[in-house]
Amino acid sequence: DVKVTQSSRYLVKRTGEKVFLECVQDMDHENMFWYRQDPGLGLRLIYFSYDVKMKEKGDIPEGYSVSREKKERFSLILESASTNQTSMYLCASSLSQGPGYTFGSGTRLTVV
Amino acid sequence: GENVEQHPSTLSVQEGDSAVIKCTYSDSASNYFPWYKQELGKGPQLIIDIRSNVGEKKDQRIAVTLNKTAKHFSLHITETQPEDSAVYFCAASKGAGSYQLTFGKGTKLSVIP
């Protein structure tokens, strides 16, 4: 069964902390994505990657960075966590020719 | 860029009735339209998709229709069951080397037993 695994289901961090959210896929997918999900706002794209060491900004990249050192792993980094980054974070992956994403189960991050 | 509008934002139906969720898109170059179902505490899962060269696609109780001229597509669920209760997202992409999806804001479907 193909999988996208997010390392944590729930995280609580303090304001100003550096936060790492990890995502691993076992499907040899080229594309990987990070979204945040907020009530009434749907899914908003933060960053995506089409290849190892390659990254592209999505619609809301401010306050975030990413790392993709290996094909199967895509990390989202909150450089200095703030309360407005409290959200559900979803990782997804897809083949370069698509179609469709496979999502992870999400990480619910609370910044206090 | 692409913009996807989804309606309604919430929908309640009686068990056994049909449910319809509608989406419109702005970019006429979009040619791939998936639908995702997100159950509580889980990530979205692909339930059905359609390409622009097809007008309708069915999978058991679920169907999707596409009107390219009007740039809208719809999800139809017949004989709804309580386990259909979830948030549904539509999406659109241009495909062919650009498989980045643009999502609608979601519809929370509640099926009342």
Side-chain angles (χ1 to χ4, degrees):
Chain A
D1 194 19
V2 295
K3 266 188 169 180
V4 176
T5 303
Q6 295 184 231
S7 54
S8 304
R9 291 300 302 273
Y10 300 95
L11 275 179
V12 180
K13 297 292 182 181
R14 295 196 179 276
T15 301
E17 278 193 76
K18 191 169 186 176
V19 181
F20 293 85
L21 303 183
E22 306 287 346
C23 176
V24 177
Q25 50 95 3
D26 63 1
M27 299 165 283
D28 203 31
H29 283 175
E30 291 83 6
N31 303 333
M32 296 189 75
F33 306 84
W34 274 107
Y35 286 85
R36 66 177 282 177
Q37 182 176 18
D38 301 288
L41 298 178
L43 300 169
R44 293 182 291 168
L45 181 64
I46 305 171
Y47 267 97
F48 58 100
S49 169
Y50 286 151
D51 202 351
V52 175
K53 296 190 185 295
M54 178 274 183
K55 59 186 178 185
E56 293 282 347
K57 292 180 180 179
D59 300 320
I60 52 163
E62 295 79 17
Y64 303 94
S65 62
V66 290
S67 172
R68 194 167 181 200
E69 296 296 318
K70 294 184 178 181
K71 189 176 185 180
E72 67 270 18
R73 186 179 297 271
F74 193 36
S75 302
L76 180 69
I77 303 157
L78 286 66
E79 297 290 343
S80 177
S82 64
T83 54
N84 62 11
Q85 292 178 310
T86 291
S87 186
M88 169 70 85
Y89 290 88
L90 289 164
C91 175
S93 70
S94 72
L95 290 167
S96 62
Q97 295 304 309
Y101 294 178
T102 301
F103 280 92
S105 295
T107 296
R108 185 164 293 281
L109 173 68
T110 302
V111 182
V112 297
Chain B
E2 176 66 279
N3 183 50
V4 177
E5 300 276 346
Q6 183 172 348
H7 299 280
S9 56
T10 60
L11 178 61
S12 291
V13 299
Q14 292 288 333
E15 183 177 356
D17 287 350
S18 295
V20 181
I21 303 170
K22 298 182 179 181
C23 289
T24 60
Y25 61 98
S26 61
D27 191 337
S28 57
S30 290
N31 59 12
Y32 173 67
F33 307 93
W35 285 88
Y36 288 83
K37 176 184 181 181
Q38 186 178 25
E39 297 175 333
L40 200 61
K42 298 184 179 181
Q45 283 198 302
L46 179 68
I47 55 171
I48 195 167
D49 56 15
I50 192 167
R51 294 187 183 276
S52 59
N53 58 349
V54 175
E56 183 175 4
K57 184 176 178 180
K58 287 183 180 178
D59 183 3
Q60 299 181 338
R61 296 186 297 107
I62 292 174
V64 57
T65 58
L66 171 65
N67 183 325
K68 285 174 56 181
T69 303
K71 290 190 283 188
H72 67 71
F73 57 111
S74 300
L75 177 71
H76 304 253
I77 306 174
T78 58
E79 300 172 18
T80 53
Q81 301 167 3
E83 52 265 38
D84 295 328
S85 295
V87 178
Y88 291 82
F89 292 96
C90 63
S93 89
K94 297 178 186 180
S98 175
Y99 278 96
Q100 183 181 333
L101 293 173
T102 300
F103 288 88
K105 287 187 166 47
T107 297
K108 183 176 181 181
L109 174 64
S110 300
V111 180
I112 304 163

